[in-house]
Amino acid sequence: MTRISMIEHEGWSEALRVATNPEAMTPLERGTLRIMAHKPETSLGFVGFFGALRAERTLPERLTELMRLRIAFHNQCRSCMAVRYSAAAEDGVDEALVCSLERPAEAENLSEREKLAIDYGERLATNHLSLDDGYYAKLKEHFREPEIVELGIFAALCVGFGRLGASWDMVEELPKAFQEREGGPIAPWGQSELVGVR
């Protein structure tokens, strides 16, 4: 059960409702905003930051979605693992590709650039001090510096807010497979019940 009370969109500040148009969103798409609404001005800042990040994105949806899902696994954020974004699906992310995230370094259906982005996000989530001079030199072989900055900001957002979301335990609206954590960690690959969002 969610550990912080959720404020449904009718109770959000006027400014937050105008900035997000929550009536056009599903409850899952409203997601953590239903908790963040306890702090309306902070929520507006988050919405603005996330909007700027999306508007300025140059990296492919496929690449960022694969990195996001692998980070979600390490965070054990069940909401993040259950969600499949339509923009990523339009860019070729299907469940067969998601299954490659179980062992991304060995996956034949991932490009070297995708493998490196996934590894970068994974290291940021699990061993950020391994991201040393040599690692950044390797990143520069595959990504321009503005892309590395974009990759880092997006990965940091996924790591931080994914961990926060996991601690809030927002699982009531998720498919059954993601609601209960019995027998160890849950993974985003190999699931039959998923939630699609815009």
Side-chain angles (χ1 to χ4, degrees), residues 65-94:
E65 179 71 352
L66 292 170
M67 184 177 69
R68 180 191 75 78
L69 287 168
R70 185 68 185 174
I71 291 170
F73 168 70
H74 287 292
N75 285 342
Q76 282 297 287
C77 180
R78 293 176 279 166
S79 300
C80 299
M81 286 188 280
V83 169
R84 297 295 185 271
Y85 290 98
S86 61
E90 291 167 10
D91 198 20
V93 178
D94 58 18

Side-chain angles (χ1 to χ4, degrees), residues 125-187:
T126 64
N127 186 14
H128 65 286
L129 296 179
S130 70
L131 298 170
D132 57 13
D133 292 343
Y135 196 89
Y136 274 92
K138 184 178 177 180
L139 280 172
K140 289 177 183 178
E141 293 173 13
H142 296 273
F143 296 94
R144 295 177 297 109
E145 286 189 339
E147 291 176 320
I148 295 170
V149 171
E150 182 178 333
L151 200 62
I153 292 171
F154 183 71
L157 182 75
C158 293
V159 170
F161 279 93
R163 288 181 179 187
L164 182 60
S167 78
W168 284 343
D169 203 32
M170 299 173 53
V171 299
E172 290 88 350
E173 297 160 342
L174 300 180
K176 191 108 175 116
F178 291 98
Q179 287 184 17
E180 299 167 9
R181 188 188 325 222
E182 293 180 18
I186 295 172

